[in-house]
Amino acid sequence: MTPATRRRTPEELLLQVQAEEAQDKRGRLKIFLGYASGVGKSFRMLDEGRRRAERGQDVVVGAIQLPPTPDVEPLLNKLEAIPLRQVDGVGVMDVPAILARMPRVCLVDGLAWNNPAGSMNASRWQDVRQLLDAGIAVIASINIQYIAELQGAVEKITGKHVTQTVPQSFLFGTDEIVVVDAPPEMCFGHSGQGVAGDPARIAHQLSELREIALLFAADVVDHQLETYLKQNGVAASFGTQERVMVCLTPRTSATAMIESGKRNADRFHGELIAAHVRQGQLDELARTALERNLEMARQAGAHIEILEGDDPIEAILEFARERGITQIFVGHGVDSKWWHRWTGGPVGRLIRGAQGIDVRVFPQ
Amino acid sequence: MTPPAPGKLKIYLGYAAGVGKTYQMLTDAQDLHRQGHDIVIGYFEPHGRADTIAKTEGLETIPRRNVEYRGAVFEEMNTDAILARHPEICVVDEFPHTNVPGSARTKRWEDVTVLLEAGIGVLTTMNIQHLESLNDQVWQISGVRVRETIPDWVVKQADQVVMVDVTPGALVNRLLRGVVYSQEKSKKALENFFQESTLGALRELAMRQTAHESESHHAEPQRHEPAVSTHAHDGAQLHDSGPPAQLLYPTGRLERILILVTADPSSAMVIRRAKRVADYLHADCIAVAIERPTGGNKIVAAERDAIERHLNFARNLHIDARLLSAEAVTDDPAKAVVEFARVNGVTQVFLARPRGKGLAGMLRSGIEQRVVWLSRDMQVTIVADRTRGGAA
């Protein structure tokens, strides 16, 4: 599919203008994402601060984990820091002091930290939002275990529960995200890790956490890409993320299709969508059968879409193009007419129309 | 004498020139050197970047080899000299590089394989766009047909794949400041490969691939003896040449993908896509083409050459590829394919999208349409044409 530039709808133009205006006023947020302590998130954050300061930008450190590790200490010495305010023995980022100082760039560690009761913001990530609103660019670092939506998956691996978190939506709103990747061995022996025991098991755990971090970053990048393409009126899908669409009717033998769709979506860490095109009234029997199929898809974690359209093939294709589907699964009925042997029938039409999308035909 | 334990391979994976792969690799090399490891530079491409060049200081470099080709002199990695020096670890930049004709091996990754087999550990760099199975998608995203590719199984052999990440914005900045390329080359690069959307898409692919490589290291699939009998008749039996054990799915069926290879150039696209799906699903993968008797007919002979080329391409990707001979084939090639698939426990057939529009396309669709029609107990995947501008 060519990223064809088409005429933008008024909504899209408005979206672009709004985005550009907000962009002008708001500070930019950049986040270094790591999968464990010891991968070097804080180092990368401070090193970027140092480089920017050397290029003449006004950079301050707003919050940093204390005590600093030996590798970050020389970097800290080169940067101006706004000291944390001590409230009830807890270090709190001094937002008023930073706003009064009004630097161009502020470096913030420990995004998930809770502020003591009575603070203006409950959490440090909300402090950051305040800095951004004031037009200060923020460079921050975070470990995936502190992302609320990833908590379950991370806890299953580490067995440790974290109470302070940052919502995923905050990270999806970043202007830039960088994965700080390092092989699992690099995190060994690092203080903060605190996992004791069999090195092979720790390596295995770290490797699983690493995968979660990479996939999360990929999702953020995918989201940014989609936003960028929409703002620029580019109607394209790059198929960087696999999206499987299973087409269901009352008569579909759905089990194999949904199982296979789920397996594909899981293995590719993609999305699973089950779609049905509504056509006229269904009798009681058909309605029950359809509901059974859709329920099965729901159980498999599929997102359900009911499409409208006189021509089911067109409806499927239009939706697939819009949503950036990479694989369409359809059933092939046994009652095909004899001429379908040559024309391919509806499935043949779907195959010919599905440009840039794989079509998988399931025997029925 | 027992052969040495193979050296370990570490790949620094990026998504464009200038993300900092070589810099990162050399930083690690310096660390290893400081820790007392015997490490040398086997090949390094400075690209005139001062900070990267500074990272080679204090490291021993094995001089390159001069190769003469058509009156010009080219420099290549001197694999023999590295083998003679036999360090513990060797730094080799630009993994996907193609050697000048006349070299002992065609590809640098083949040189690296020689080093690994000799027990030398290797650090190397590559970009995601050089991965064979993503070739069509990279073309779709960037408009560039990458010629220097590395088969996925070569990358899979790495003990570690580390992603070197930087944001597209920072990369474009580096480009504008002239860090990556000269000013003139930068301007051209910004117009083509370095568009923000292109970079974003390639970056996402690199992240997903790194996650996948990491996963295949820690998540050993549940291995099983093949549960499906592959016995057959007419000598059309498939001898399992893949790994000795396979993943058994909940349905109790072994996933086995068959790729239908024809003389059409789209076969390469089908092979890449099917292999990628097979790798992700831990499925078996075989490629089959139907031979037609030539009878001295020139057109048919050309077709045969194309088919042979496609089958070899599949073999290079470690796919069991075979030509079904005319004798074993009835007068209906589609029927022959489906019959072969059925006998060999194939669960999915992958084939190209029929070409041509409208009625002409329908009538030309031939074997593909017939296979869909006949495969009443198998899934059939019609692989999309992932080219710029889509299929005709």
Side-chain angles (χ1 to χ4, degrees):
Chain A
M1 230 180 295
T2 311
T5 308
R6 57 180 168 80
R7 258 178 111 91
R8 272 170 274 179
T9 63
E11 289 76 22
E12 282 167 341
L13 280 172
L14 187 68
L15 193 70
Q16 190 191 353
V17 171
Q18 281 173 343
E20 280 169 1
E21 276 179 359
Q23 202 67 38
D24 286 344
K25 287 189 214 123
R26 249 175 87 87
R28 285 175 72 81
L29 174 62
K30 179 169 185 170
I31 288 184
F32 287 97
L33 179 77
Y35 65 90
S37 47
V39 290
K41 299 176 300 292
S42 303
F43 180 87
R44 286 283 300 270
M45 176 186 79
L46 290 167
D47 198 41
E48 169 139 1
R50 172 194 59 85
R51 268 184 289 129
R52 291 208 192 187
E54 280 169 6
R55 267 189 263 141
Q57 292 185 18
D58 184 21
V59 181
V60 305
V61 178
I64 183 85
Q65 303 290 79
L66 292 170
T69 49
D71 58 328
V72 305
E73 225 169 334
L75 287 170
L76 269 179
N77 293 335
K78 288 182 186 162
L79 293 162
E80 176 188 342
I82 311 267
L84 296 179
R85 217 156 30 90
Q86 293 299 320
V87 180
D88 304 333
V90 180
V92 179
M93 182 159 77
D94 198 340
V95 177
I98 297 168
L99 290 175
R101 166 70 178 72
M102 202 60 193
R104 178 156 161 208
V105 183
C106 184
L107 311 181
V108 183
D109 225 351
L111 278 183
W113 276 68
N114 282 344
N115 291 330
S119 306
M120 189 167 16
N121 298 312
S123 277
R124 191 172 287 168
W125 65 268
Q126 290 161 314
D127 290 341
V128 166
R129 214 163 48 183
Q130 210 183 332
L131 298 180
L132 295 169
D133 287 342
I136 299 170
V138 174
I139 305 175
S141 74
I142 191 171
N143 183 327
I144 51 159
Q145 74 182 103
Y146 297 111
I147 299 169
E149 284 80 354
L150 297 183
Q151 245 191 321
V154 173
E155 222 178 290
K156 228 187 262 168
I157 297 166
T158 61
K160 277 193 287 186
H161 183 71
V162 203
T163 50
Q164 309 186 346
T165 57
V166 178
Q168 176 175 293
S169 58
F170 183 71
L171 283 108
F172 270 76
T174 58
D175 299 286
E176 293 182 301
I177 192 164
V178 180
V179 193
V180 183
D181 192 22
E185 303 86 78
M186 294 249 320
C187 311
F188 276 119
H190 192 274
S191 53
Q193 194 52 39
V195 260
D198 175 22
R201 222 197 70 211
I202 298 169
H204 183 91
Q205 284 185 357
L206 288 170
S207 156
E208 285 182 319
L209 293 173
R210 182 173 170 235
E211 189 197 332
I212 293 177
L214 285 160
L215 291 171
F216 180 78
D219 285 346
V220 174
V221 170
D222 193 72
H223 174 79
Q224 288 172 343
L225 194 61
E226 227 166 74
T227 313
Y228 174 89
L229 292 176
K230 252 187 210 138
Q231 278 174 9
N232 289 278
V234 182
S237 170
F238 288 145
T240 41
Q241 182 176 24
E242 291 287 339
R243 291 196 181 92
V244 180
M245 175 185 186
V246 179
C247 302
L248 298 174
T249 69
R251 294 185 311 166
T252 318
S253 339
T255 315
M257 288 171 71
I258 292 169
E259 262 180 20
S260 177
K262 180 171 166 49
R263 196 156 61 233
N264 274 268
D266 283 353
R267 286 294 165 85
F268 280 101
H269 298 284
E271 256 182 82
L272 179 63
I273 293 154
H276 167 70
V277 186
R278 207 199 311 265
Q279 286 175 287
Q281 281 297 316
L282 294 175
D283 61 38
E284 182 66 32
L285 211 64
R287 224 178 24 246
T288 317
L290 177 66
E291 206 28 70
R292 199 174 47 235
N293 284 346
L294 292 176
E295 183 50 34
M296 202 191 305
R298 221 173 269 129
Q299 293 285 332
H303 179 83
I304 310 290
E305 286 286 344
I306 305 296
L307 309 175
E308 306 281 349
D310 299 332
D311 182 346
I313 300 297
E314 253 326 297
I316 290 168
L317 287 172
E318 198 189 318
F319 175 81
R321 279 190 287 263
E322 184 71 24
R323 276 295 293 272
I325 297 293
T326 57
Q327 306 181 37
I328 298 176
F329 286 14
V330 286
H332 191 345
V334 278
D335 58 344
S336 304
K337 312 283 188 296
W338 64 267
W339 62 84
H340 290 169
R341 227 173 239 268
W342 285 275
T343 64
V347 171
R349 256 184 72 216
L350 182 71
I351 291 168
R352 286 192 297 276
Q355 299 222 350
I357 305 171
D358 292 349
V359 177
R360 191 177 298 185
V361 183
F362 283 70
Q364 297 286 296
Chain B
M1 221 178 74
T2 50
K8 294 201 165 179
L9 175 66
K10 178 168 179 177
I11 298 173
Y12 294 83
L13 183 72
Y15 66 90
V19 295
K21 298 178 297 293
T22 305
Y23 185 87
Q24 183 66 48
M25 173 173 71
L26 289 172
T27 305
D28 288 0
Q30 291 283 2
D31 284 348
L32 289 165
H33 181 63
R34 256 195 306 279
Q35 288 161 21
H37 291 279
D38 178 25
I39 186 164
V40 305
I41 296 177
Y43 191 91
F44 163 60
E45 197 58 65
H47 291 296
R49 295 171 205 162
D51 54 342
T52 308
I53 294 167
K55 283 280 172 192
T56 61
E57 249 168 64
L59 294 176
E60 175 186 344
T61 299
I62 306 291
R64 297 181 191 181
R65 191 169 51 91
N66 285 339
V67 186
E68 226 189 275
Y69 179 65
R70 293 192 176 166
V73 178
F74 295 86
E75 290 185 332
E76 293 289 359
M77 177 164 85
N78 195 340
T79 307
D80 291 339
I82 298 168
L83 288 172
R85 164 68 177 74
H86 210 284
E88 185 191 340
I89 305 163
C90 183
V91 173
V92 182
D93 215 357
E94 301 193 342
F95 200 29
H97 170 80
T98 302
N99 294 329
V100 166
S103 306
R105 281 161 290 271
T106 317
K107 299 282 185 179
R108 182 162 296 154
W109 64 260
E110 293 173 301
D111 284 315
V112 166
T113 305
V114 170
L115 297 180
L116 293 171
E117 278 166 3
I120 300 170
V122 174
L123 309 183
T124 192
T125 58
M126 71 178 279
N127 283 328
I128 188 69
Q129 43 272 46
H130 296 280
L131 191 69
E132 179 67 54
S133 70
L134 288 174
N135 194 266
D136 299 305
Q137 221 175 334
V138 167
W139 185 19
Q140 184 188 2
I141 291 167
S142 67
V144 175
R145 179 59 91 184
V146 176
R147 300 281 168 202
E148 295 186 326
T149 56
I150 296 190
D152 295 46
W153 62 266
V154 175
V155 173
K156 203 131 268 146
Q157 283 176 339
D159 296 273
Q160 278 175 9
V161 178
V162 176
M163 161 120 190
V164 182
D165 192 26
V166 64
T167 63
L171 184 59
V172 170
N173 267 334
R174 279 185 201 176
L175 211 61
L176 290 172
R177 280 187 280 137
V179 181
V180 182
Y181 292 134
S182 65
Q183 287 296 335
E184 189 190 341
K185 213 174 158 195
S186 290
K187 218 184 125 216
K188 229 179 130 195
L190 278 171
E191 282 161 10
N192 300 313
F193 212 71
F194 282 76
Q195 284 176 12
E196 199 168 331
S197 54
T198 304
L199 291 174
L202 293 173
R203 183 173 178 229
E204 188 187 337
L205 282 180
M207 286 171 171
R208 293 194 187 280
Q209 192 66 35
T210 311
H212 176 68
E213 299 300 339
S214 167
E215 182 181 23
S216 46
H217 274 102
H218 68 69
E220 274 299 301
Q222 178 198 352
R223 298 239 164 236
H224 242 280
E225 285 307 312
V228 176
S229 146
T230 55
H231 69 82
H233 54 77
D234 293 346
Q237 179 166 0
L238 175 72
H239 296 287
D240 206 350
S241 64
Q246 290 295 329
L247 189 77
L248 190 76
Y249 286 99
T251 49
R253 286 245 281 176
L254 181 78
E255 284 275 9
R256 176 166 283 165
I257 290 175
L258 180 138
I259 305 166
L260 178 59
V261 171
T262 66
D264 195 278
S266 61
S267 289
M269 217 175 283
V270 179
I271 291 167
R272 287 190 196 103
R273 178 66 176 169
K275 179 64 176 154
R276 188 166 176 81
V277 171
D279 281 351
Y280 271 75
L281 296 182
H282 304 297
D284 221 7
C285 195
I286 51 178
V288 161
I290 304 286
E291 186 188 33
R292 282 204 281 161
T294 55
N297 186 328
K298 267 196 185 134
I299 298 167
V300 179
E303 211 178 275
R304 261 186 84 158
D305 287 349
I307 286 176
E308 203 40 61
R309 245 189 353 263
H310 295 152
L311 289 176
N312 274 332
F313 173 66
R315 286 182 194 115
N316 285 337
L317 303 186
H318 281 191
I319 297 168
D320 179 1
R322 57 187 59 200
L323 191 63
L324 290 192
S325 64
E327 297 86 59
V329 168
T330 59
D331 53 349
D332 184 346
K335 209 167 165 186
V337 171
V338 172
E339 189 58 24
F340 176 89
R342 195 166 286 144
V343 162
N344 287 292
V346 166
T347 55
Q348 297 188 42
V349 179
F350 273 62
L351 40 81
R353 195 163 168 269
R355 285 179 174 251
K357 272 184 182 153
L359 193 66
M362 285 180 210
L363 296 177
R364 274 197 51 202
S365 51
I367 185 166
E368 294 92 347
Q369 200 78 64
R370 289 276 297 150
V371 169
V372 176
W373 181 261
L374 292 166
S375 304
R376 283 313 170 91
D377 48 0
M378 280 170 269
Q379 299 168 21
V380 180
T381 298
I382 295 90
V383 175
D385 190 346
R386 286 182 169 74
T387 55
R388 298 275 276 190

